[in-house]
Amino acid sequence: MGKDRIEPQQTAEASMPEDFLELEERVVDIYRSAKVMKGGRKFRFGALVVVGDKLGRVGHGYGKAREVPQAIEKAMKVAKRSLVRFPVVKGTIPHEVRGRHGGGHVVLLPAGPGTGVIAGSVVKAVADCLGINNLLSKSFGSSNSKNLLKATFSALERLRTREQMAALRGVEVS
């Protein structure tokens, strides 16, 4: 894309040690894979996790290990390092956005007060960690959790506030 693209804001708090951040953590999905060996099957686990501060910062991570708790711990570390700030206006998103990753497509729509978060489990986890209270969403195509999570983040990266669009276009906001 060109120079006109506004990147999601990386914050100074994202580089702070994990101990100082009050983050909500959500395990989105646990994956199990098996390797057949001479003595039987060996299982490995993968964890898909979302973390956020409910104030507009959210991140996601994926970790793999031989035990579920270690996989979740690894995923949490990755998610805490990948925190990104997205605009939240009056408990919802500023405008409609669409995101896509792989076969997963997500449409996010702003909703009025009192609507709640009407979404699937993956989008709902992201919205809760982000601090969004009112949101409508619809997913199309693949229901794979990894692809839907990345599609949701793809949609969120397209969000712009009025002030950002005005600055981009060089116009005054009245």
Side-chain angles (χ1 to χ4, degrees):
M1 308 288 180
K3 286 189 239 176
D4 297 338
R5 184 160 181 228
I6 299 173
E7 293 296 323
Q9 299 171 353
Q10 291 286 351
T11 61
E13 295 103 14
S15 61
M16 289 175 63
E18 299 163 7
D19 304 339
F20 297 112
L21 300 174
E22 281 293 323
L23 297 174
E24 181 171 326
E25 305 165 343
R26 292 282 176 97
V27 176
V28 175
D29 211 348
I30 302 287
Y31 300 90
R32 185 184 81 169
S33 62
K35 177 172 139 180
V36 180
M37 306 278 292
K38 187 177 176 183
R41 293 188 189 107
K42 274 198 178 175
F43 293 106
R44 289 184 52 90
F45 298 92
L48 189 61
V49 171
V50 176
V51 299
D53 64 356
K54 291 189 160 271
L55 299 172
R57 286 185 315 144
V58 70
H60 64 93
Y62 182 71
K64 297 186 283 189
R66 288 203 173 133
E67 299 292 329
V68 174
Q70 285 129 358
I72 292 172
E73 193 175 314
K74 283 182 180 182
M76 291 290 180
K77 276 187 177 178
V78 172
K80 287 177 182 177
R81 277 186 268 144
S82 72
L83 286 174
V84 182
R85 183 173 295 281
F86 296 112
V88 176
V89 180
K90 297 178 184 173
T92 189
I93 56 176
H95 56 86
E96 176 185 340
V97 286
R98 295 170 185 264
R100 179 178 169 201
H101 188 271
H105 303 262
V106 173
V107 178
L108 304 177
L109 300 157
T115 304
V117 178
I118 300 173
S121 61
V122 176
V123 178
K124 186 172 260 188
V126 174
D128 289 344
C129 290
L130 192 54
I132 294 174
N133 302 323
N134 303 298
L135 179 76
L136 298 171
S137 81
K138 178 68 182 155
S139 63
F140 301 97
S142 171
S143 60
N144 181 331
S145 299
K146 292 176 194 171
N147 285 344
L148 285 181
L149 182 68
K150 290 179 182 178
T152 304
F153 271 81
S154 169
L156 291 172
E157 286 170 3
R158 292 185 169 92
L159 286 176
R160 303 286 178 262
T161 62
R162 285 181 166 208
E163 293 76 22
Q164 288 173 329
M165 286 308 295
L168 187 64
R169 295 176 180 170
V171 186
E172 282 283 317
V173 178
S174 56

